Amino acid sequence: MEPAPAAIVVRRWGRWFLVERPGAMPAAAELRDLFDRFEPTMPATPHTLEVPLASDEIVAPLWAWAGELRADGVHLEDSRGDALILDRTDLQILDVLRAPVPVAELLAEAGAPLERLAFLVAAGTVRRLGGDDIRRSEPAEPRRRRPDAMQPGVDPRHPDDRQRLGRIPVYALMHAQHGVPLGLGMVTAAARHHDGGRLTETFEIRRPETAASILGDLDHRAGPAILLLSDVIWTIDDNLDVAALVVERNSEVVVVHGGPSSPRYAADIERFFREHARIAHVLARGEGERTIGELLAALGAAGGRLTHADLSGVAGIAYVDPSSGEVVRTPDRSRETNLDDLPSPYLTGEFDHVVVAGQDAPFALETNRGCPYECSFCDWGSATNSRVRFFTPERVAAEVDWLASRGAEAVFVADANFGLSKRDVETARQLAEGRRRTGAFDRIYWTAAKNTTRHFVEIWRSLRAGGITSEIQIALQTTDPQTLDAVGRSNISTERLLELARLLRQETMPVRAELMIGLPGQTVESFAADLELLFEQEMALMSWTTLSLPNAPMNAPEYRSRWGIRLDDSGVVTETSTADAGDRDRMLRLRRAFLAADTYGVLRHLIRWLHQDCGVRAIQVIGDLCATAELTPDRWPAVTWLVETFDLHPLPPRGWRAFYEEIRSFVVEQYGIDPRDSALECVLRVQQALMPWPGRSFPARVDLEHDYVSYYLDVVAPLYDSLDERPVDPLVSRPPGVLEVRGDPAGLGGDGMNLWGNPRDEASSSAYTLVFDAANELDSPLLRLLPEVVRRFDPERLDQLTAQRRRWARRRTPADTTDRSIEPVDH
């Protein structure tokens, strides 16, 4: 009988975690919890590694490491992959080490000798810093910048406001952590200009401001007031919390909810009013610029008091009639036909008081409204109608100039289908010119048009020529015909989306695709088939769990009934008529395994070889990993870690050498592979060579049993050119080869991947940052174009890599099977 797997201890950003058994959730721990597991008389671990280390040098912790917790110490691997055991003294040093610190100061606090710290540095478990690396004030764990949204000391009242006393304040709430809300600024700007500015005679219409600013102002005044809230899935909880504080200070405040998450279906409206009676008085739906003007006019006529106001003539709202207690839902408001009649908050001073430079969250740029598609899970088409309406090019250009002149670092083009029109090419050129002129626009995000690719190359080239990192994702969601029909996407061509992927590769642009879990009509089998397609197309997975948005067609009562849709308290779809809760859990496990094995690259070359040469489909391998982790977690603890823990702690549970030795045994047993197979040995050596590890030195040359680089390029050649696929010679038939790993430009060995948030929080966008801000890629001929790679690597190097792959694809003919050597590429 095999011994039970040891508990795994993780040290990450200055904190300890314990995973008691394979598949268990990591639990926070203290150093004493580790010491309690050791033998009482555990001797000090002998050490043979050591580097010269001066007492005035600076050392720092690694981002993370993991090891097996045994009675004689913590077992892991050093920088060379050799076995290493940490004892009490080592762990005491690591416990104290939470940020960059001088050696002498660290040793004094830890009560440890210099020789022991030198051993940890040599082993690669402590970083040695120098020069620009020394930033002692920087926190150990990287966090996103959260600057205050408002400039210090700037009055949130608009400069044009004559600031007459006694008027009714209108507050518009924004949250610094979510960025500056374009929609809310559109509403306050429209209200300020409504009916020639007449509302300003009654109301003090304030610019969007933070909760602290609103509450501070309420402390100095009383009487009626209006609070405007823009509800979206990431702000609604914060909005409700702030509204409660506001009403607690002033019970006469009328709270108006609008935005995409302000409900429109009758039952949802009644439920919202019932659950939030104190802090929800009016609900606005649809485009709000005209609605807010008419609503304020009606409230102004009643002295700002809802109890005396006649709101029945205001289209597009719902409210509780004070006299009857009944919910009143007025008729829908027609869409705005001339968008330029709506004042721009950027150009009319509505955002002149906010911090622009240094904001991490992107500023929204809206060039049109409308979406020709009516996907049931999305409220974009239903909110803006199918007809696309445009702002004039002159207005868009002026807004781009406003953002550029103030140093906006990131912009999100808030169009449903950017690239649909030739106008979008000009917008891209304006953004690029803005960066060249001012240094703004480091990053541009956009949602690509679904059924056309004709303008993408021009857009991408313009942005890249201007030095802008541009990121899009292919909105695949699913390729299953039944599911596409159920969600109203049968008019979106999968072939066009795959064509877009090829264009992106040819232009050295990251290729990633969205898939959703929980769509009506979806099954475990159809989701697995979608993952298989992403593997074959070498697209990075971006996977979303389906939310039933309040105003999306999916949330209509008849639609939910037809497809047996069940939701949790956050609106996440947990069950449909085609996938019960158990099926959904299996899909989530498949997603975790696919992200770790393929997107993070831990097993992607091994799976590629099994798929290509051994007849074992990629999704079968992923499924077998999941089944093993679920049914026999103790049998293969490394497999279980990959499936159940890697998304929480993306590193091996001891070291890569031990990890891949277990994977070798798993593959041999699971698929009947000869353990002496030279191709298996080759591909495992490739996998280990491509994994970052503290203390690795570069360049690193790996001699291989077979030329894996030419094999890989043959396999992916069709992805870079439209040529028909050709037979690929098996790996075992190829001569010996070499893999050169040139370096670690992203600093993964010491800093790890840039992760934030909780990947298990399905209602939060943090669950998907694994492919936005992380890429487990070293510089080699096998490098993939992932978003973080494009940000961190030399653009010329990436262009050369793409050009090589395109040339390789074109020269690869049935007769040309000999000289396929890769030309050397200089950094």
Side-chain angles (χ1 to χ4, degrees), residues 618-656:
I619 198 59
Q620 179 184 339
V621 180
I622 298 296
D624 290 342
L625 294 172
C626 292
T628 297
E630 181 180 10
L631 303 176
T632 56
D634 293 349
R635 177 74 176 83
W636 303 103
V639 170
T640 302
W641 180 277
L642 189 77
V643 175
E644 302 293 358
T645 313
F646 199 84
D647 64 326
L648 300 173
H649 296 297
L651 68 166
R654 178 169 174 175
W656 289 119

Side-chain angles (χ1 to χ4, degrees), residues 362-560:
F363 286 79
L365 176 69
E366 190 178 32
T367 80
N368 66 58
R369 289 183 183 177
C371 180
Y373 310 110
E374 297 183 2
C375 307
S376 67
F377 54 81
C378 177
D379 62 5
W380 214 327
S382 61
T384 59
N385 213 354
S386 60
R387 185 173 65 85
V388 179
R389 296 152 291 146
F390 293 91
F391 292 95
T392 62
E394 293 76 15
R395 170 173 169 149
V396 173
E399 291 188 336
V400 168
D401 185 67
W402 188 96
L403 290 165
S405 64
R406 286 161 175 79
E409 294 187 11
V411 168
F412 170 59
V413 181
D415 301 348
N417 294 276
F418 192 64
L420 188 67
S421 166
K422 181 68 174 177
R423 294 164 41 115
D424 299 336
V425 176
E426 182 58 30
T427 299
R429 290 172 180 158
Q430 292 163 357
L431 289 165
E433 174 57 30
R435 177 164 180 77
R436 281 190 289 266
R437 190 176 70 253
T438 68
F441 306 147
D442 178 64
R443 306 179 306 283
I444 303 294
Y445 305 94
W446 43 294
T447 301
K450 313 299 186 295
N451 265 351
T452 180
T453 59
R454 60 185 301 188
H455 302 305
F456 285 166
V457 171
E458 285 187 86
I459 289 173
W460 167 244
R461 287 177 177 170
S462 293
L463 294 175
R464 195 158 189 245
I468 296 174
T469 298
S470 176
E471 297 180 8
I472 66 171
Q473 49 271 357
I474 298 173
L476 200 62
Q477 316 307 359
T478 182
T479 62
D480 177 59
Q482 173 181 284
T483 309
L484 289 171
D485 184 64
V487 300
R489 283 177 67 90
S490 56
N491 62 336
I492 296 178
S493 168
T494 298
E495 289 70 25
R496 284 289 181 87
L497 294 175
L498 297 182
E499 177 190 348
L500 169 60
R502 181 178 289 110
L503 287 174
L504 295 178
R505 289 188 198 94
Q506 292 175 352
E507 294 298 320
T508 319
M509 191 170 182
V511 181
R512 63 185 178 199
E514 296 175 331
L515 290 183
M516 297 179 70
I517 293 177
L519 292 172
Q522 187 180 52
T523 63
V524 175
E525 293 73 22
S526 68
F527 180 67
D530 287 335
L531 291 176
E532 179 99 350
L533 176 66
L534 262 61
F535 175 83
E536 292 172 348
Q537 292 288 318
E538 204 165 65
M539 297 180 185
L541 170 64
M542 236 186 115
S543 177
W544 311 85
T545 47
T546 303
L547 284 168
S548 183
L549 300 175
N551 297 323
M554 181 179 289
N555 200 40
E558 59 275 13
Y559 188 97
R560 289 175 57 178

Side-chain angles (χ1 to χ4, degrees), residues 556-577:
E558 59 275 13
Y559 188 97
R560 289 175 57 178
S561 174
R562 176 187 174 192
W563 288 103
I565 294 174
R566 295 187 178 181
L567 311 175
D568 68 9
D569 292 340
S570 299
V572 175
V573 175
T574 59
E575 192 168 346
T576 69
S577 59

